[in-house]
Amino acid sequence: MTSTPSTAGHSDERPVRLDVSGLKKTYTTKKGDVPVIDDLTFDLRQGEIACIVGPSGTGKTTLLKCLAGLQPITSGQATIDGHVIDGPPEELALVFQEYTRSLMPWLSVERNVELPLRHLSLSAEERRQRAASSLEAVGMAEAASKYPWQLSGGMQQRVAIARAVAYRPGVLIMDEPFASVDAQTRFELEDLCLRIREQFDMTILVVTHDIDESVYLSNRVIVLGQRPAKVTDVIPIDFDGPRDQLTTRALPRFAQLRSEIFELIRKAG
Amino acid sequence: MTTIQKPLRSRTRQARRQRAARSPRWLLIGAEVGLPVILIAAWWFASAGSTNIFFPPLQTILARLWQLTQTSEFLIDIGSSLGNLVASFVIACLLGVLLGLALGTSRFLSWLLEPVIHFFRAIPPVALVPIFVSLLGFENETRILSITVAALFPVLISTIDGVRANDETLDMVSRVYRLTWSERLFEVVLPAAAPRILSGMQVGLIAAFVVMIASEMLGSSTGLGAKTLLAQQTFTIADMWAGILLLGIFGYLATFLFELFRRRVLRWYIAAQQQERQL
């Protein structure tokens, strides 16, 4: 995507972390090939949050699985920091929608966060440090010795985010991360997401079906069209200053962007 | 933060209310201890003046049991029985989990071996004892083999099930975070399958106990099973009852000890389930 907005500040000069170009994904079935993603191209720069929105069934989850190296890409390619993705990339972490199933119930919160760090070449002390600081960052430091099932849904998702952050990924991908928590928790987690981006200069790609969420969170909203998915449009989000659940959402510009995206999705569907 | 904590607090309040509604702990423990005591007392008084040669007074049986435990020969029998049971059960558990992991993860292996496994599983393990006796003779190895085979299948089948039932999301988590082979095995696959594996072991333990006795009754001269059968055949009825009583006690203790082990290993699982019930 060359139409990166200049309004997003300095992000134009920052290095590209995730680069997707001409990505195609086709499922082979008995009845023939079913294209799910068709010629998808976009990129993500350092410190940027982008949201992918689109009608349900457009293959958003398939796209994430391709980017996470969990499913092979049919043609085209995706790179993270220049490395072609052909298996789960080292530089990538994923936060799943089903928080109840993505944490290990037999491990304490702390050990859940530490598990992916074990095979990195870190000393035990560094590993503990990293786990502790990311739990701190998501506001779960006191729950370190608890078990996931002792926590509410929103807290479990915080732990899952802490685990991803502790991994220090080049790109953090989230698959409808706040879809199954209540509205209040959702707002808190969205702000947490923005805070994490600030604190760790994280590059984040969020898949969501919530248009408001996409406008609130991102620097860019990537609108996917109907199956097979292709980029319908990329909408730069240009709010000045830090975002706030109350004031940002009350801006006329917010409503304008929301209806713009809504229109695009409706046309695409 | 406070808004997140609120539902938790009300959850525990609700939990407390539900706990209060259930029977108090002392009543449950009382019932658990009380019923056996009542049964033993009933046996004691019902049999007190018995002249029936096949149904001696409990007092006589207990006196005989006490006498027997003073003889080294009887202690050797007990040692032999329990030794066989423990050794075979441990071998069966290790083998069952190892094989189960292989079959649960490899489609080819399970395709190849599963029909055979289900064929052998369908044969009651006690029925296999005569085959082993005729193949291997009356040595102790025969008993160990019989007990191991009996306990192996429940462990094996529950391990295969447990490994197959692994959650897809956890599998993706393991792959995305590039967990090593051994991390996936010991931190993800085995713990996830542990509840099923331990249920299989529980069934295996009971099967092992049954076959332990049966294997000693078929052409063995040592072990509690052999002694109990011998006593019955020689009309030393008090000895027979003593043997049966002791077998019952050991059976109970074996299950009890295993339950302690299970609770230790599955602490997270039991606590999580309790939590779920209270919500």
Side-chain angles (χ1 to χ4, degrees):
Chain A
M1 249 332 96
T2 45
S3 64
T4 320
S6 53
T7 34
H10 57 286
S11 79
D12 249 357
E13 298 90 58
R14 303 206 65 183
V16 171
R17 300 300 301 263
L18 176 70
D19 187 12
V20 178
S21 65
L23 188 146
K24 276 188 196 173
K25 172 72 186 172
T26 313
Y27 285 123
T28 311
T29 65
K30 275 181 197 153
K31 288 179 197 154
D33 289 355
V34 181
V36 185
I37 300 168
D38 184 31
D39 198 16
L40 200 62
T41 301
F42 67 91
D43 64 16
L44 205 56
R45 288 171 187 274
Q46 175 72 45
E48 199 177 22
I49 298 185
C51 279
I52 294 183
V53 292
S56 50
T58 31
K60 290 178 300 221
T61 301
T62 305
L63 170 64
L64 288 199
K65 284 185 180 169
C66 287
L67 294 181
L70 296 170
Q71 282 187 5
I73 292 165
T74 312
S75 74
Q77 69 169 18
T79 59
I80 289 186
D81 295 343
H83 304 299
V84 175
I85 297 169
D86 53 1
E90 230 174 303
E91 306 88 346
L92 183 137
L94 193 54
V95 172
F96 294 83
Q97 182 188 345
E98 309 98 334
Y99 49 79
T100 46
R101 277 154 57 200
S102 82
L103 297 171
M104 325 280 163
W106 47 88
L107 295 179
S108 68
V109 162
E110 189 174 30
R111 303 233 309 148
N112 260 295
V113 175
E114 277 182 32
L115 182 60
L117 309 180
R118 285 202 215 160
H119 59 269
L120 305 180
S121 45
L122 295 170
S123 72
E125 186 47 43
E126 274 176 306
R127 204 163 57 214
R128 257 194 304 278
Q129 200 65 51
R130 259 208 208 181
S133 69
S134 28
L135 279 172
E136 182 78 54
V138 301
M140 292 295 293
E142 302 92 68
S145 56
K146 288 214 165 123
Y147 283 84
W149 37 268
Q150 294 175 305
L151 307 172
S152 68
M155 287 169 150
Q156 288 181 39
Q157 197 60 308
R158 279 170 192 263
V159 175
I161 293 171
R163 174 173 66 185
V165 168
Y167 198 59
R168 296 279 188 280
V171 175
L172 172 59
I173 298 186
M174 300 174 136
D175 183 10
E176 304 203 4
F178 318 132
S180 24
V181 295
D182 57 86
Q184 182 64 38
T185 309
R186 166 181 280 231
F187 288 159
E188 286 171 2
L189 290 176
E190 284 167 7
D191 287 333
L192 171 69
C193 196
L194 291 170
R195 237 176 13 248
I196 297 262
R197 192 266 307 262
E198 280 311 307
Q199 193 176 340
F200 299 95
D201 195 24
M202 197 77 81
T203 312
I204 306 175
L205 181 65
V206 183
V207 163
T208 178
H209 57 245
D210 183 337
I211 298 169
D212 288 47
E213 181 167 280
S214 72
V215 175
Y216 181 71
L217 276 180
S218 17
N219 305 103
R220 274 191 292 164
V221 175
I222 299 162
V223 183
L224 289 193
Q226 192 57 283
R227 237 175 174 181
K230 60 167 73 170
V231 175
T232 302
D233 216 332
V234 178
I235 312 288
I237 308 291
D238 44 4
F239 299 122
D240 296 323
R243 302 191 184 182
D244 177 89
Q245 292 285 5
L246 270 179
T247 55
T248 306
R249 283 177 192 264
L251 291 173
R253 180 78 186 129
F254 190 94
Q256 198 184 339
L257 285 166
R258 183 179 52 192
S259 25
E260 199 176 320
I261 293 166
F262 189 74
E263 194 59 40
L264 281 170
I265 290 178
R266 197 158 55 181
K267 257 194 285 176
Chain B
M1 251 349 243
T2 45
T3 43
I4 299 186
Q5 273 160 355
K6 238 179 226 155
L8 257 192
R9 219 179 292 137
S10 69
R11 275 177 197 171
T12 44
R13 204 184 304 135
Q14 195 184 353
R16 221 177 293 133
R17 222 178 295 134
Q18 279 181 347
R19 235 176 287 141
R22 253 182 274 144
S23 313
R25 206 178 157 77
W26 61 265
L27 192 72
L28 292 174
I29 295 177
E32 205 175 333
V33 179
L35 188 61
V37 168
I38 291 169
L39 286 176
I40 289 169
W43 185 5
W44 178 281
F45 289 113
S47 65
S50 170
T51 51
N52 184 339
I53 159 166
F54 295 110
F55 189 53
L58 180 57
Q59 198 183 358
T60 317
I61 297 168
L62 289 178
R64 184 63 191 139
L65 182 60
W66 176 251
Q67 260 175 15
L68 282 172
T69 54
Q70 306 300 306
T71 64
S72 62
E73 197 198 345
F74 194 67
L75 293 180
I76 290 170
D77 281 326
I78 294 178
S80 158
S81 290
L82 294 185
N84 282 351
L85 179 72
V86 171
S88 312
F89 183 61
V90 169
I91 296 172
C93 286
L94 290 177
L95 259 180
V97 170
L98 274 177
L99 271 174
L101 278 173
L103 287 167
T105 43
S106 157
R107 199 173 278 269
F108 173 73
L109 272 182
S110 72
W111 196 73
L112 189 73
L113 293 177
E114 231 156 89
V116 183
I117 287 170
H118 284 285
F119 173 76
F120 279 109
R121 178 179 78 131
I123 303 172
V126 179
L128 291 173
V129 178
I131 304 176
F132 292 138
V133 170
S134 37
L135 287 177
L136 293 172
F138 296 113
E139 298 307 312
N140 200 38
E141 291 79 48
T142 307
R143 270 161 263 153
I144 291 197
L145 183 66
S146 311
I147 306 170
T148 306
V149 167
L152 176 69
F153 286 106
V155 179
L156 174 60
I157 284 156
S158 62
T159 307
I160 296 175
D161 267 0
V163 171
R164 291 239 178 97
N166 262 0
D167 194 272
E168 196 205 357
T169 310
L170 280 188
D171 189 55
M172 287 198 285
V173 170
S174 316
R175 283 167 67 196
V176 165
Y177 288 108
R178 301 159 61 97
L179 299 190
T180 61
W181 178 86
S182 69
E183 280 168 351
R184 274 170 87 165
L185 181 62
F186 291 109
E187 305 286 350
V188 185
V189 175
L190 274 180
R196 285 183 204 225
I197 296 178
L198 274 116
S199 303
M201 286 181 178
Q202 213 157 13
V203 176
L205 180 62
I206 294 162
F209 198 77
V210 170
V211 172
M212 173 196 91
I213 299 166
S215 71
E216 287 168 351
M217 287 182 165
L218 280 162
S220 167
S221 54
T222 46
L224 277 176
K227 284 296 137 70
T228 305
L229 189 69
L230 186 69
Q232 184 255 323
Q233 286 163 344
T234 55
F235 288 97
T236 38
I237 298 301
D239 286 32
M240 178 192 84
W241 279 100
I244 291 170
L245 195 61
L246 202 59
L247 283 173
I249 292 170
F250 284 145
Y252 178 80
L253 281 181
T255 350
F256 178 74
L257 288 177
F258 183 80
E259 182 58 21
L260 286 186
F261 170 70
R262 195 184 81 94
R263 282 194 194 174
R264 179 86 188 77
V265 175
L266 292 184
R267 238 177 345 181
W268 64 270
Y269 179 72
I270 293 163
Q273 271 195 324
Q274 252 165 13
Q275 177 102 353
E276 215 166 282
R277 240 175 280 135
Q278 283 164 7
L279 289 182

